[in-house]
Amino acid sequence: MKILVTGCFGFIGYNFINYLKKNNIDHIGVDSLESSSSKQLYKINNDENLSKYFDLNIKDLNENKDLKKLNISTIVNFAAETHVDNSIGNPESFIDSNILGVTKLLRFAIENNIENVIQISTDEVYGSVLDEFCDESSELNPSSPYSASKASAELICKSFIKTYGVNVKMVRPANNYGKFQQPEKLIPYSVANLIHEKNIEIYGEGRQIRHWLHVEDTVEAILAVIEKGKENEIYNVGSGEYSENIEIAKQLLSILGLDENRLEFVDERPGHDFRYAIDCTKIRNIGWSPKRSLKFELEKTVSWYMDNKDFWIDDYKIINQKRKKRMHL
């Protein structure tokens, strides 16, 4: 098995290639290195993996003759624009990357006889649910341009399955956390703010409920889907651990020995989903289950960000420069 990993220097993608290395699984990386964080990960990884890496946008896979000679059996597509706030201010970039990019990737799979495509989606495609748990057959009801672009990519995948006979498995992970996450997300951004003597920003009252999943559990689930998942199936991936955003913020303050006066409540995000919740029975039935808990992993994650400022500091500065206009067209 030779795996092409697109978006290999993003958050989950980089954790995934590290997991493949650890398990001696042959792989090739593709990334367009558009963020400072991805450039940092490229530098970290450069000495070990340069010969197996291509600096490419997924829309250009078919333009690279060397890539087409490598007898790839599986593509795992992490390449995507991901942050909801950014999608509100710039929906076009999400449509370009997450929909057109996936279409181009699927054409590459067809023209190069790729046996297996894994499309990494998100639990956000279900939208907000009050009290139920969504299984893989639940209605898609996305709220943001980000989640709508991921849901649209899934529909493109389904059309390629039916029209062209491509084998595409789709994975819908819950809210990931862990090391190497870009500093725009709740946990790393909050830690970065606290380090810089700023407060944790909380949308509204912070009662939004998220399903928290450690990134190392996610990458193990993806490999389980590759090896044991059924053709053209969809798999939810989650830990079963749910917390309100305000609870996460308070835990971060506790870990760092800070008072709750370091919480700053800001205007609610437009279209902000209240609760994500998924049923993960299907992936458990192929032998995967989460191994890590938020209680033990959150402190490790905070420590990693405290010790690895070089990874996130440049992106953090850029994020703060754009922050005021991030949720307005």
Side-chain angles (χ1 to χ4, degrees):
M1 178 170 61
K2 182 176 287 186
I3 301 176
L4 175 64
V5 182
T6 61
C8 66
F9 294 125
F11 169 40
I12 307 179
Y14 189 67
N15 278 281
F16 186 66
I17 63 170
N18 283 340
Y19 183 65
L20 295 180
K21 287 182 199 175
K22 181 180 176 181
N23 288 276
N24 297 312
I25 297 173
D26 196 8
H27 62 280
I28 303 147
V30 164
D31 201 293
S32 56
L33 301 178
E34 293 182 1
S35 71
S36 295
S37 298
S38 62
K39 290 183 177 76
Q40 285 293 332
L41 292 179
Y42 170 73
K43 290 177 184 177
I44 293 169
N45 196 65
N46 190 9
D47 292 338
E48 299 177 25
N49 207 30
L50 182 61
S51 62
K52 293 185 178 181
Y53 163 70
F54 292 84
D55 184 352
L56 279 176
N57 189 294
I58 58 170
K59 292 185 294 183
D60 301 323
L61 294 178
N62 256 324
E63 307 304 317
N64 190 290
K65 295 180 180 179
D66 292 329
L67 186 62
K68 299 172 79 168
K69 298 174 183 176
L70 294 175
N71 297 317
I72 296 159
S73 63
T74 300
I75 300 174
V76 183
N77 182 37
F78 295 98
E81 294 283 346
T82 62
H83 191 41
V84 172
D85 284 10
N86 294 341
S87 80
I88 295 170
N90 186 12
E92 294 88 350
S93 67
F94 285 71
I95 293 167
D96 182 59
S97 177
N98 299 355
I99 302 175
L100 181 57
V102 167
T103 305
K104 293 283 191 178
L105 181 144
L106 291 170
R107 287 185 63 90
F108 174 83
I110 292 169
E111 294 174 22
N112 293 277
N113 299 311
I114 307 298
E115 300 168 9
N116 204 10
V117 177
I118 312 296
Q119 167 65 11
I120 307 303
S121 189
T122 171
D123 66 343
E124 295 185 39
V125 296
Y126 297 115
S128 186
V129 293
L130 291 178
D131 50 21
E132 67 267 30
F133 290 82
C134 298
D135 66 21
E136 290 82 356
S137 64
S138 297
E139 178 186 1
L140 303 188
N141 187 29
S143 302
S144 69
Y146 161 62
S147 55
S149 71
K150 297 298 279 188
S152 299
E154 289 197 20
L155 293 177
I156 294 293
C157 288
K158 287 184 177 182
S159 75
F160 271 67
I161 290 168
K162 291 181 179 180
T163 304
Y164 304 104
V166 184
N167 173 29
V168 186
K169 302 171 187 173
M170 289 175 270
V171 179
R172 296 171 178 164
N175 210 50
N176 268 235
Y177 70 99
K179 61 184 181 180
F180 303 120
Q181 189 172 37
Q182 290 81 357
E184 58 197 359
K185 299 301 179 75
L186 175 62
I187 292 173
Y189 186 71
S190 297
V191 173
N193 268 355
L194 294 172
I195 289 173
H196 287 83
E197 303 299 324
K198 297 180 180 179
N199 297 329
I200 297 179
E201 292 186 4
I202 299 294
Y203 290 132
E205 296 180 355
R207 298 299 177 190
Q208 306 87 359
I209 298 168
R210 296 293 178 263
H211 185 178
W212 293 92
L213 175 67
H214 193 273
V215 65
E216 292 178 12
D217 281 324
T218 302
V219 300
E220 290 172 5
I222 293 166
L223 190 60
V225 169
I226 293 172
E227 295 178 340
K228 302 175 184 177
K230 295 181 180 179
E231 287 192 1
N232 302 324
E233 290 287 346
I234 302 169
Y235 292 90
N236 290 338
V237 183
S239 65
E241 294 190 291
Y242 295 85
S243 287
E244 294 180 348
N245 287 344
I246 188 69
E247 294 172 347
I248 296 295
K250 289 179 179 179
Q251 288 178 57
L252 294 176
L253 292 174
S254 177
I255 289 168
L256 294 171
L258 299 171
D259 296 329
E260 292 186 13
N261 62 6
R262 298 296 299 277
L263 296 174
E264 182 178 339
F265 296 89
V266 299
D267 291 343
E268 186 63 276
R269 181 167 72 191
H272 204 175
D273 288 330
F274 172 69
R275 174 179 175 266
Y276 300 131
I278 51 176
D279 182 329
C280 300
T281 302
K282 190 172 179 180
I283 194 167
R284 288 175 179 266
N285 285 341
I286 65 169
W288 175 88
S289 60
K291 298 176 182 176
R292 297 153 186 90
S293 70
L294 186 63
K295 177 180 179 181
F296 295 107
E297 297 296 338
L298 188 57
E299 187 168 354
K300 292 180 188 178
T301 300
V302 171
S303 296
W304 188 88
Y305 280 95
M306 297 285 287
D307 294 338
N308 291 274
K309 296 184 182 69
D310 287 347
F311 163 72
W312 53 261
I313 190 65
D314 288 339
D315 263 356
Y316 175 72
K317 291 175 182 176
I318 294 169
I319 289 162
N320 278 328
Q321 289 170 1
K322 297 180 177 178
R323 197 136 178 95
K324 289 184 179 179
K325 59 181 181 180
R326 72 194 184 284
M327 292 190 294
H328 302 280
L329 284 173

